[in-house]
Amino acid sequence: MDTLVNLQAFLATAESSGFSAAGRKLNVSTSVVAKRVTQLEEQIGTTLFHRSTRQMRLTKAGQQYLHRARSVVADVSDLLARMGEKDHDLADQLRIKAPTSLTIFRLADVFSAFQAQNPQVRLDIVLIDRPVDPVTEGFDIAIGAFPHAFGGVIDEPLCPMRRLLCAAPDYLARHGAPAHPRDLVDHTCLSFLPTGPEWQFDGPRGRVTVQVQPRMSSNEGYVLVKSAIAGNGIAFISRYLVEDALRQGSLCQVLPEYPIPDLWVKATVPERRANAAAVQALLAALKQALTPTL
């Protein structure tokens, strides 16, 4: 168990930026924390911190070991919890990558409810709008909707994400409504940066692909929604972001006869964390909350 307590001392020091604060966090003396970190450095044969009288900073090696150490400690904590009574509360630390818009509009409530039900689970939620490899970037769960594949992970489908074209009535009155996706090249378009300016549609005669020249692109979907409501163009957007605007009439669907292929929201989990009780519990909560579709 010496290695485990040494790893815990390393994590606490990295998170607290010093031995004194780490000691208070672990309820041990400063000298004990320093000794444990030194023992770990001797064990692995490398220095983990740049030490000075003013601050402590992770070395390059320390930065590389940080995510792995966090995962190892979480794995051991989960194993010990599973070896105890079946009715024990979940206790773990989960580092989660999630998309910005989806988290603000849907997932924040799921995370809040989950933590209220599992107060001993610590959630570190990082909002990132690009694909990430959870193994190399140190995440227990990475949520996204892009068809990227990584090694050493398990993909858990959560739900399909519907997308559509929409514009303000004022824009359509001034510029007319496109009759075919190819007409979009003559319109002002608002594009979601991660999916790019190549827009695809399913028509009666098969797949139609159009390369647009967006006047505005953003990695935050709500920026595009506000711009579309202001009459600035036709937005290619996730349906859940514009449901209220469509009901209120501030936006109208464009080209409904040419549906946009769905994306699948999925959770990517490192194989070594896939059976952790807290991971499985959060995945179940996500699936229940997002069913049947966004």
Side-chain angles (χ1 to χ4, degrees), residues 164 166 239 242-253:
L164 50 77
C166 60
R239 186 185 65 176
V242 294
E243 286 176 333
D244 289 343
L246 291 172
R247 280 194 297 266
Q248 296 163 5
S250 54
L251 288 176
C252 301
Q253 187 172 354

Side-chain angles (χ1 to χ4, degrees), residues 100-266:
T100 304
S101 297
L102 183 58
T103 301
I104 292 170
F105 280 82
R106 290 288 189 273
L107 300 185
D109 289 339
V110 181
F111 295 144
S112 297
F114 178 83
Q115 195 156 48
Q117 295 168 3
N118 302 280
Q120 295 188 57
V121 177
R122 175 178 171 180
L123 301 182
D124 296 332
I125 302 166
V126 183
L127 303 186
I128 303 175
D129 292 312
R130 60 171 174 82
V132 304
D133 181 348
V135 175
T136 60
E137 297 196 43
F139 289 98
D140 299 295
I141 299 175
I143 302 170
F146 300 104
H148 289 76
F150 302 103
V153 302
I154 294 173
D155 288 342
E156 290 282 351
L158 298 178
C159 71
M161 177 185 287
R162 301 283 168 80
R163 298 175 295 166
L164 50 77
L165 289 184
C166 60
D170 176 64
Y171 175 87
L172 297 175
R174 287 184 286 115
H175 299 280
H180 189 277
R182 286 191 294 269
D183 297 337
L184 291 168
V185 297
D186 297 320
H187 280 267
T188 303
C189 295
L190 313 173
S191 182
F192 186 53
L193 267 175
T195 53
E198 186 176 274
W199 296 359
Q200 294 187 335
F201 304 85
D202 288 331
R205 297 183 180 180
R207 183 66 52 89
V208 179
T209 301
V210 180
Q211 187 80 22
V212 301
Q213 298 294 326
R215 177 174 291 179
M216 173 186 284
S217 296
S218 176
N219 67 338
E220 170 49 60
Y222 194 59
V223 173
L224 303 179
V225 174
K226 298 296 286 186
S227 187
I229 290 174
N232 292 334
I234 298 175
F236 187 98
I237 198 76
S238 298
R239 186 185 65 176
Y240 74 90
L241 288 171
V242 294
E243 286 176 333
D244 289 343
L246 291 172
R247 280 194 297 266
Q248 296 163 5
S250 54
L251 288 176
C252 301
Q253 187 172 354
V254 176
L255 292 173
E257 63 274 27
Y258 290 89
I260 298 169
D262 291 345
L263 291 176
W264 264 90
V265 179
K266 65 179 181 179

Side-chain angles (χ1 to χ4, degrees), residues 49-110:
F49 292 98
H50 294 296
R51 295 163 168 83
S52 72
T53 56
R54 292 187 176 183
Q55 63 177 351
M56 294 185 63
R57 295 182 295 107
L58 286 167
T59 63
K60 185 176 180 180
Q63 293 172 349
Q64 293 173 340
Y65 279 111
L66 181 61
H67 297 319
R68 297 296 298 273
R70 185 180 287 121
S71 296
V72 168
V73 171
D75 286 345
V76 173
S77 298
D78 181 69
L79 175 62
L80 294 175
R82 284 172 174 264
M83 292 172 66
E85 296 294 331
K86 296 293 185 179
D87 59 352
H88 276 180
D89 292 338
L90 293 178
D92 206 337
Q93 176 175 341
L94 301 183
R95 189 167 185 260
I96 303 159
K97 172 266 177 187
T100 304
S101 297
L102 183 58
T103 301
I104 292 170
F105 280 82
R106 290 288 189 273
L107 300 185
D109 289 339
V110 181

